[in-house]
Amino acid sequence: MDSQQLILSRLTTILSETDKSNAAKLMQLVDGAGRIFIGGAGRSLLVSRFFAMRLVHSGYSVSMIGEVVTPAIKAGDLLILVSGSGGTETLLPFVKKAKSVGAKLAVVSMKKSSAMSDVADLTIQIGNDASFPLTNGMPMGSQFELSTLIYLEAIIADNIFAQGLTEEGMRAIHANLE
């Protein structure tokens, strides 16, 4: 099997094992939030940035945690964290702060139960507990991160259809100070 087929095969399997009903639940939290805060660490941070950018293009008020211009999170806001383990030590203080001020928490993880998901308002488990075997050619979390990227991009696609968003409208919101 060539490398592209290996990757596509693994991602197809993982996504077929992922509960699709959580996508609508996440968008309900997003739509009900005052503001949305998004974060992750390492490659999961990169995936979270993809999602944050697409939410901005869709008209939502989004901040990346840890940036110097990120405002204070408050009650009525939503924190979305992408963490394969659900226990990334550098993210746990953000979980504590969000919960202490009454913000909602959504966690995207490969673990159904973790330090983050056990206090989350919504846990989106990508795949299931057996979905991520060691796979030669897809090292150190690649299966989770790529599956999560596709899962979150599909949520954006669903939102585009549901909200009647257009390419032109999304481009008008796209950054112009690049």
Side-chain angles (χ1 to χ4, degrees), residues 9 11 21 29-30 42 52 80 105 124-125 133 141 153 155 170 174:
S9 174
L11 299 182
S21 69
L29 286 174
V30 166
I80 302 170
L105 172 65
I124 297 174
Q125 183 181 21
E153 192 68 13
I155 289 175
M170 293 178 81
H174 188 280

Side-chain angles (χ1 to χ4, degrees), residues 69-87:
V69 295
T70 301
I73 194 167
K74 299 177 181 169
D77 292 338
L78 171 64
L79 173 59
I80 302 170
L81 294 176
V82 178
S83 172
S85 69

Side-chain angles (χ1 to χ4, degrees), residues 16-131:
S16 73
E17 297 168 345
T18 301
D19 181 353
K20 306 295 185 274
S21 69
N22 285 324
K25 293 174 187 171
L26 179 60
M27 282 313 297
Q28 285 175 338
L29 286 174
V30 166
D31 286 334
R35 293 169 303 161
I36 301 142
F37 295 79
I38 300 180
R43 289 169 44 114
S44 292
L45 173 61
L46 299 176
V47 171
S48 73
R49 286 182 183 274
F50 274 88
F51 189 55
M53 179 185 281
R54 287 295 189 223
L55 286 174
V56 167
H57 295 160
S58 300
Y60 294 95
S61 176
V62 179
S63 295
M64 291 299 301
I65 62 172
E67 299 289 331
V68 296
V69 295
T70 301
I73 194 167
K74 299 177 181 169
D77 292 338
L78 171 64
L79 173 59
I80 302 170
L81 294 176
V82 178
S83 172
S85 69
T88 308
E89 290 291 328
T90 57
L91 299 177
L92 293 175
F94 299 119
V95 169
K96 183 178 178 182
K97 176 54 75 176
K99 296 307 285 182
S100 75
V101 300
K104 300 241 185 229
L105 172 65
V107 175
V108 183
S109 179
M110 62 181 155
K111 306 281 187 190
K112 186 173 193 145
S113 180
S114 68
M116 291 180 198
S117 59
D118 291 349
V119 298
D121 297 280
L122 174 65
T123 297
I124 297 174
Q125 183 181 21
I126 301 298
N128 60 48
D129 291 338
S131 294

